[in-house]
Every structure is written in C-alpha cells, then in structure tokens.
Amino acid sequence: MFDSIPEQPLLGIYMRYRRETLGITQEETAKRMFVSLSLYRKLESGERALTAERLSDWCAVMDAPSWMLEKMVSLTMPKIATVARGVWPPVLRREDLDHLHALPYPAFYHRFPEYEVLAANSAATAVFPWLAPAPEGSERPVNVIEQMMTVPEARESLVNWDTVAHRLLFTLRVLSPGVVAPERLAQIIRTCHADPEFQRMWNTPMDEDLYTDSLMLVRDPEAGEIRHFTMRAYNAYHPQDCSYQLFVLTPRTPGTATVDPFALA
C-alpha cells in the first residue's frame, strides 16, 4: 500500500525555487510585493502564513507558471484545490471504466503526479503495450516514469522521448513533495537510476515552453511511420470526487504548434 501522505512541505520551497531561477533577490521581491524585507523573509521561510492575497501578489511578481500556481494553491487551500491522488490497488468506478473504454484513442487513468497506471483502454495498450496496467493482486502498480526510463521500447516508440521523459521527471520532482508517499517516491527514483540519463534530467530545470508543449511523436512499430498526437490530462469537474487523472492522446495535424494560452487572453 502506498496511501500514506506526509505533511505538506513549506510553500517557501517553491517560492525560493522560482525566485532563484529568475535570479531575483529577496530584497527586490519584497519591493515588488510592497512588503517589508523582514516580512518577505518570514513568508519564504514559513514563519508567517501566506494569505491568498499575498500569494496572488507573489505570483504576479514571479510570473509563476501554471504548475507552480496549482501546487501552491493546493498547499495554501488544500480543501479547495488539491493534486489528485489515489491508492493501490485502485478503486475505479464502473462508470469511469466505461467512459475510458468508450474513447477511440489511447487513454489511461493515472495517479498524479507520480504517474501510476491505474487503467488503460485497448487503444492505449495497442500503442504502448509496455504501459499496460499491473495484473490484479500485484504488489505495486506499473509506473509510467519507471517504464519510460527502463524499457527499451519506450525510446524506440517515442520519437521525442527525451522531452517527454524529462517532463515526467520534472513534474515528479517539483509536484510530489507532500503528495507522494516518501517510500514510493524513493522506489521510483531508485528504479530510474538505472538509466544514465536520469541524473541529467532530474537535476536540470525544464524550459516552460517544453513543459507546456502537448506534442507526442509515436513511431508505428509495423509501418515505421511517425504518428503525431496531442496530449491532454483531465481532472474531472463532474463528478468532482474522482481521485485519478484521465490522460488522452488524440491525432494531431503534423506541424500544428502548441497554442500559447497567454496569446488568447
């Protein structure tokens, strides 16, 4: 069982990460937020609670990406916004399984952000047989990240494997604290260490344009042609008590660029 959840980490971890990534000092950040340096230091160290208003100010100053904003909101208001989590073995509703298997394109139910495979439709297992869910009664689930880093077929079938694998590891590193059980996180990391690319990907920041890119290039094992897919991950709005994330791949016109959400504002 991997359902124990440790205490939530300090928001300061993410505040400091973003500030240092941008090369901004605490003094400059405090000025931009219109607070004293002393107060800002207490906010970043966790000595003072970060209110919703100050979180909004901080995000504006730091131009925080969506993944960081989602994580910080989930930490400040856990009853309002939480990262989806589940348990193993999974308890999947019949209606959700019917929905999954009705989709004509590759689709999975994942536990996020560690990407445990809870269920997959026939289209998914046909394209990615190495991501088939673990049999009933297995001690642990099949994990997308572990498979990506250890199964040779992953590199063979994913043309942009490096980008996809890096994104998965980056997501695991920055979103798992306070959500993923420490013993399960340690297992995933140990498994991934077998790949010589792991250290580079784990310790290298992910460019925000690549992080939000939705393109997945899959090589057809029989024809050898490259198929273009758009990746989408969904948290259910209705029903709202769904604890797992739906991941879907749909055909994409070659050459289609990822839409910049800020360009539509």
Side-chain angles (χ1 to χ4, degrees), residues 110-189:
H110 287 160
R111 182 167 63 189
F112 180 83
E114 67 269 48
Y115 289 101
E116 311 281 29
V117 180
L118 304 182
N121 65 8
S122 58
T125 53
V127 178
F128 308 108
W130 41 278
L131 287 179
E136 185 176 348
S138 299
E139 182 179 348
R140 55 190 283 190
V142 167
N143 182 273
V144 176
I145 301 174
E146 290 179 329
Q147 298 295 91
M148 287 284 290
M149 301 302 292
T150 61
V151 176
E153 288 80 4
R155 292 176 188 252
E156 295 171 6
S157 62
L158 293 176
V159 177
N160 57 338
W161 173 87
D162 191 276
T163 298
V164 176
H166 191 184
R167 182 186 297 116
L168 289 169
L169 285 169
F170 179 77
T171 299
L172 181 70
R173 181 166 68 88
V174 300
L175 295 185
S176 62
V179 176
V180 181
E183 62 272 21
R184 182 60 179 130
L185 179 59
Q187 286 179 334
I188 296 172
I189 292 174

Side-chain angles (χ1 to χ4, degrees), residues 11-12 15 33 40 42-44 46 48-56 58-59 72 76-77:
L11 285 167
M15 296 174 72
M33 289 180 63
Y40 181 78
K42 289 178 180 178
L43 293 173
E44 192 171 290
R48 288 284 296 273
L50 190 68
T51 65
E53 182 179 359
R54 288 205 172 111
L55 174 59
S56 178
W58 180 87
C59 289
M72 294 183 74
T76 54
M77 295 174 285

Side-chain angles (χ1 to χ4, degrees), residues 1-248:
M1 296 290 293
F2 305 112
D3 54 353
S4 60
I5 304 297
E7 292 184 3
Q8 298 285 20
L10 295 175
L11 285 167
I13 293 175
Y14 297 94
M15 296 174 72
R16 185 169 63 252
Y17 171 87
R18 182 62 176 175
R19 179 177 59 76
E20 292 179 349
T21 297
L22 296 178
I24 302 175
T25 65
Q26 288 184 324
E27 290 82 358
E28 188 174 358
T29 305
K31 286 182 180 179
R32 294 184 185 183
M33 289 180 63
F34 300 101
V35 298
S36 68
L37 175 58
S38 174
L39 174 57
Y40 181 78
R41 284 174 173 167
K42 289 178 180 178
L43 293 173
E44 192 171 290
S45 68
E47 295 178 51
R48 288 284 296 273
L50 190 68
T51 65
E53 182 179 359
R54 288 205 172 111
L55 174 59
S56 178
D57 292 341
W58 180 87
C59 289
V61 169
M62 294 295 172
D63 191 22
S66 57
W67 64 261
M68 182 173 288
L69 177 59
E70 178 184 359
K71 176 65 176 182
M72 294 183 74
V73 169
S74 74
L75 295 179
T76 54
M77 295 174 285
K79 293 185 178 180
I80 297 177
T82 59
V83 177
R85 58 173 75 116
V87 297
W88 181 261
V91 179
L92 304 176
R93 292 177 296 212
R94 181 71 257 173
E95 64 181 275
D96 291 334
L97 290 173
D98 289 343
H99 178 66
L100 179 74
H101 292 298
L103 298 173
Y105 303 114
F108 300 85
Y109 282 130
H110 287 160
R111 182 167 63 189
F112 180 83
E114 67 269 48
Y115 289 101
E116 311 281 29
V117 180
L118 304 182
N121 65 8
S122 58
T125 53
V127 178
F128 308 108
W130 41 278
L131 287 179
E136 185 176 348
S138 299
E139 182 179 348
R140 55 190 283 190
V142 167
N143 182 273
V144 176
I145 301 174
E146 290 179 329
Q147 298 295 91
M148 287 284 290
M149 301 302 292
T150 61
V151 176
E153 288 80 4
R155 292 176 188 252
E156 295 171 6
S157 62
L158 293 176
V159 177
N160 57 338
W161 173 87
D162 191 276
T163 298
V164 176
H166 191 184
R167 182 186 297 116
L168 289 169
L169 285 169
F170 179 77
T171 299
L172 181 70
R173 181 166 68 88
V174 300
L175 295 185
S176 62
V179 176
V180 181
E183 62 272 21
R184 182 60 179 130
L185 179 59
Q187 286 179 334
I188 296 172
I189 292 174
R190 281 197 302 270
T191 300
C192 292
H193 263 291
D195 192 299
E197 297 293 333
F198 170 75
Q199 287 287 1
R200 172 182 64 85
M201 293 182 176
W202 184 258
N203 295 313
T204 305
M206 185 80 182
D207 181 270
E208 289 180 25
D209 289 338
L210 284 179
Y211 184 79
T212 56
D213 191 0
S214 59
L215 175 64
M216 181 175 282
L217 300 172
V218 181
R219 182 177 287 106
D220 188 307
E222 296 182 359
E225 63 182 8
I226 297 174
R227 300 169 65 185
H228 294 65
F229 287 101
T230 292
M231 302 178 291
R232 287 288 185 269
Y234 301 93
N235 289 321
Y237 177 74
H238 179 77
Q240 293 182 319
D241 60 345
C242 184
S243 63
Y244 31 87
Q245 190 176 73
L246 175 66
F247 179 86
V248 183

